[in-house]
Amino acid sequence: MSNNTQILILDNDLSCLTTLERILHSLGEVICFNNAMDFLEHLKTKSSPGIILIDTNSHGFNGYEILSKLHSQSIINDVPILLTIKEDVKDESTIHLSGAHDYLFKPYRLSIVQNRVKSYLELKQVRDQLKDQTRWIENEVTKRIYDLQLTFDLSIDIVTQLVETRNPDGATHITRTRNYYEIIMRRLQKSEKYRSVIDEKYIVRTVKASPLHDIGKMGIPENILMKNDKLSTDEFDIVKTHTTIGYNTIKNVVDTSFITDLLKSNANSDSSEFFKEALNIAKYHHEYWDGSGYPEGLKEDKIPLSARVMAIVDVFDALSNKRVYKEAWSIEKTTHYIKSKSGTQFDPDVVKAFLLESDAIRKIWESTRN
């Protein structure tokens, strides 16, 4: 055993203390107390001992009461406690109910005392080592998760920034819409209707997924996407497919990974929930509240909430900033349009949240305007 291991003994019989110190000195640093107050003060101010021996029949203090105080005040944690008792004590149930780990009979037998104390010291040492290993593993897992999350977030940003390069007039579209999205979602969270639906994890995962809403535009021909004139009906039909292209792109990647098993199960993992929302946002952010949108013509609450929020911020940003086919609208005109489409194109609850956060949205619009 380590010489740094403390063996604390409380007993007002000096001869017993001397005997135990002689028997146990080879197992660690033996510290003896014949006064309960000194013993308790030592425990409060010094490091945790390896084992404690408390006499149950000393004059001036009750060993069981001392033991009860140690447990009730959480002065010690996971420290083996052995009670020293007279050999004629027969009520072992009282000893075990006291919370002690074991007991030693007086008068002491050298081999029994040494072996029993040594066993408990070794057991505590193993437990302490396991705790240290567990802490190390937990720290390593936390670091790995952080590294993986950082890599994942950066990968999403790289992909979405690549989408932006196809439209020089909308170079900060994804950054702005992500900020607008979070502001509106947090406003919705404050309402009684959505408080139980929108928690912090939901906000974080959908904010991270929101930049993928236009990932499907990578599959739209350049001559259509960058056309500086009104699109024909056929051309607009092609543009509409960016929702299903984006959905299928994400789904195809998911289907070739282990995430597909999570999506098909009821598992509530962060990864599976993120990809569910990424799929929802990519596919349904052009659905209309009244059912006249695309690609599936979903109506009202059938449209995922994340897509309903994305619908407003996407339109707001497109109208309030310059595009190859149009000049930027004023923020007042754009806001009026959003308000006028409440209950037809947009979810009325989301429009209300948008209007309540108009000052915060204006600040973002002014700071990042093209």
Side-chain angles (χ1 to χ4, degrees), residues 84-92 104-109 112:
T84 58
I85 61 177
K86 289 184 178 179
E87 195 164 13
D88 59 355
V89 174
K90 303 300 182 183
D91 190 5
E92 295 185 10
L104 294 169
F105 283 129
K106 294 180 176 180
Y108 301 121
R109 296 172 177 81
I112 292 176

Side-chain angles (χ1 to χ4, degrees), residues 220-352:
I220 305 300
E222 189 82 13
N223 64 309
I224 296 177
L225 194 64
M226 300 301 296
K227 186 177 180 179
N228 58 6
D229 198 2
K230 185 177 180 179
L231 297 177
S232 67
T233 301
D234 289 342
E235 288 171 333
F236 186 52
D237 285 341
I238 292 174
V239 170
K240 287 180 179 181
T241 64
H242 82 276
T243 56
T244 51
I245 291 173
Y247 174 86
N248 290 328
T249 298
I250 298 170
K251 189 174 184 299
N252 288 339
V253 172
V254 169
D255 284 347
T256 58
S257 73
F258 73 94
I259 297 296
T260 185
D261 295 328
L262 290 174
L263 288 173
K264 292 176 181 177
S265 71
N266 293 323
N268 188 26
S269 75
D270 289 340
S271 296
S272 65
E273 293 303 314
F274 169 83
F275 282 107
K276 284 178 183 177
E277 294 301 339
L279 290 165
N280 286 337
I281 290 172
K283 190 172 187 178
Y284 301 121
H285 69 284
H286 283 290
E287 296 287 2
Y288 283 15
W289 184 251
D290 64 5
S292 62
Y294 63 89
E296 294 185 4
L298 298 184
K299 188 176 182 179
E300 298 181 357
D301 290 341
K302 296 295 183 182
I303 307 168
L305 176 60
S306 55
R308 301 197 313 261
V309 175
M310 194 70 237
I312 282 187
V313 300
D314 189 36
V315 170
F316 174 80
D317 194 73
L319 294 178
S320 62
N321 288 278
K322 182 181 178 181
R323 294 292 183 265
V324 292
Y325 53 86
K326 60 172 279 296
E327 293 299 318
W329 286 15
S330 69
I331 194 169
E332 291 77 16
K333 182 179 179 181
T334 308
T335 300
H336 177 74
Y337 176 85
I338 297 291
K339 188 175 181 180
S340 71
K341 296 297 181 179
S342 177
T344 53
Q345 185 173 352
F346 304 121
D347 178 349
D349 291 336
V350 182
V351 172
K352 181 180 179 181

Side-chain angles (χ1 to χ4, degrees), residues 130-146:
L130 287 174
K131 282 184 179 179
D132 291 340
Q133 290 174 0
T134 300
R135 274 193 291 269
W136 181 85
I137 291 171
E138 288 174 348
N139 289 336
E140 285 299 305
V141 169
T142 300
K143 290 177 184 178
R144 297 288 178 87
I145 291 175
Y146 174 81

Side-chain angles (χ1 to χ4, degrees), residues 135-182:
R135 274 193 291 269
W136 181 85
I137 291 171
E138 288 174 348
N139 289 336
E140 285 299 305
V141 169
T142 300
K143 290 177 184 178
R144 297 288 178 87
I145 291 175
Y146 174 81
D147 289 343
L148 287 172
Q149 187 63 59
L150 181 60
T151 301
F152 177 78
D153 291 345
L154 289 174
S155 298
I156 294 294
D157 284 343
I158 290 169
V159 171
T160 53
Q161 291 295 332
L162 181 62
V163 176
E164 288 184 349
T165 61
R166 299 200 68 196
N167 183 4
D169 289 332
T172 55
H173 168 69
I174 290 176
T175 301
R176 284 193 302 269
T177 54
R178 178 167 49 194
N179 292 335
Y180 296 150
Y181 181 97
E182 181 172 359

Side-chain angles (χ1 to χ4, degrees), residues 46-72:
K46 302 298 181 180
S47 60
S48 177
I51 193 169
I52 296 173
L53 279 67
I54 300 176
D55 185 57
T56 61
N57 196 37
S58 289
H59 300 292
F61 65 85
N62 184 305
Y64 293 113
E65 290 180 358
I66 296 295
L67 184 56
S68 177
K69 182 176 291 189
L70 294 181
H71 287 302
S72 64

